[in-house]
């Protein structure tokens, strides 16, 4: 799972979380394909640092794998703090993943801010919303599947601005849910 907060005039009040659900049997070949797309000088493949041609290559590669992609967009008043928007979107994403039978969620680490996620996950546990789910924060450079989640965030963000070409290509894999509060 990865996140994007377009912010500003681009998409005020939106917080996007992207997740890819990958079966164990295809996870390693999928990781390898993602590694091959990563620029040699970069520590990870990053959608926002890719040009249009590279983004097209990322989407084409994604289309060659069997997985489920989910984009959750939490939309609130732009004055709502970023961390609150993240919590709202994270809760919705977790409910979607849990309903889909996911048992392990890897979140891209945000360093010291991971403590906010852990506190929120503890609150969700006390409400019995995350029973049976294991959560782990990993640095983006360590888990290539996070790069696919980053690409899903980028595709969703572009689609929200009316650029739907990549979303249309991934239509058979991608579900987008928007939640307003």
């Amino acid at each position: 799972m990865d996140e994007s907060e377009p912010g500003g005039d681009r998409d005020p009040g939106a917080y996007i979380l992207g997740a890819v659900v990958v079966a164990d049997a295809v996870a390693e070949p999928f990781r390898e394909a993602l590694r091959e797309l990563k620029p040699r000088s970069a520590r990870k493949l990053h959608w926002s640092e890719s040009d249009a041609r590279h983004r097209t290559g990322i989407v084409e590669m994604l289309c060659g794998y069997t997985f489920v992609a989910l984009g959750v967009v939490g939309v609130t008043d732009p004055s709502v703090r970023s961390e609150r928007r993240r919590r709202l979107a994270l809760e919705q994403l977790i409910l979607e993943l849990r309903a889909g039978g996911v048992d392990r969620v890897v979140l891209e680490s945000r360093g010291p801010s991971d403590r906010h996620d852990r506190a929120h996950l503890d609150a969700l546990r006390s409400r019995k919303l995350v029973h049976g789910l294991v959560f782990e924060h990993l640095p983006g450079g360590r888990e290539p599947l996070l790069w696919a989640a980053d690409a899903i965030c980028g595709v969703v963000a572009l689609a929200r601005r009316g650029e739907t070409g990549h979303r249309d290509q991934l239509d058979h894999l991608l579900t987008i849910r928007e939640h307003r509060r």
Side-chain angles (χ1 to χ4, degrees):
M1 183 205 92
D2 197 13
E3 45 102 16
S4 174
E5 190 173 19
D9 294 335
R10 293 183 294 172
D11 200 353
Y15 200 100
I16 301 169
L17 292 176
V20 294
V21 180
V22 180
D24 291 339
V26 296
E28 199 49 45
F30 196 12
R31 284 183 182 104
E32 191 53 40
L34 287 158
R35 283 184 194 105
E36 289 175 15
L37 288 173
K38 182 186 74 65
R40 286 198 172 114
S41 61
R43 67 179 183 85
K44 65 181 186 177
L45 179 62
H46 204 278
W47 182 266
S48 67
E49 295 171 8
S50 299
D51 62 22
R53 194 166 134 227
H54 196 214
R55 288 177 179 178
T56 297
I58 293 169
V59 171
E60 288 173 356
M61 185 280 301
L62 292 175
C63 287
Y65 284 84
T66 301
F67 66 99
V68 173
L70 180 62
V72 170
V73 184
V75 182
T76 62
D77 184 281
S79 66
V80 173
R81 287 184 30 230
S82 177
E83 206 54 49
R84 172 83 175 134
R85 286 197 303 274
R86 179 181 175 85
R87 284 194 309 267
L88 294 170
L90 182 59
E91 185 171 330
Q92 292 303 315
L93 178 66
I94 288 170
L95 292 174
E96 296 271 351
L97 293 174
R98 186 171 164 231
V102 170
D103 58 7
R104 179 174 175 254
V105 179
V106 176
L107 299 89
E108 182 166 8
S109 177
R110 300 180 299 145
S113 293
D114 291 350
R115 66 184 164 82
H116 298 296
D117 287 343
R118 286 191 288 277
H120 184 57
L121 294 170
D122 287 343
L124 294 176
R125 278 186 195 94
S126 72
R127 291 171 45 204
K128 309 237 186 291
L129 294 177
V130 296
H131 178 72
L133 284 174
V134 174
F135 296 92
E136 183 177 8
H137 285 88
L138 290 177
R142 243 179 76 196
E143 175 52 81
L145 295 176
L146 291 169
W147 310 342
D150 175 71
I152 295 303
C153 287
V155 167
V156 171
L158 285 176
R160 289 182 56 78
R161 293 196 307 263
E163 299 176 41
T164 60
H166 294 313
R167 186 204 59 207
D168 293 346
Q169 283 179 272
L170 292 170
D171 191 52
H172 64 292
L173 301 168
L174 175 60
T175 301
I176 301 172
R177 303 267 195 250
E178 182 174 308
H179 300 274
R180 293 187 174 270
R181 289 205 181 169

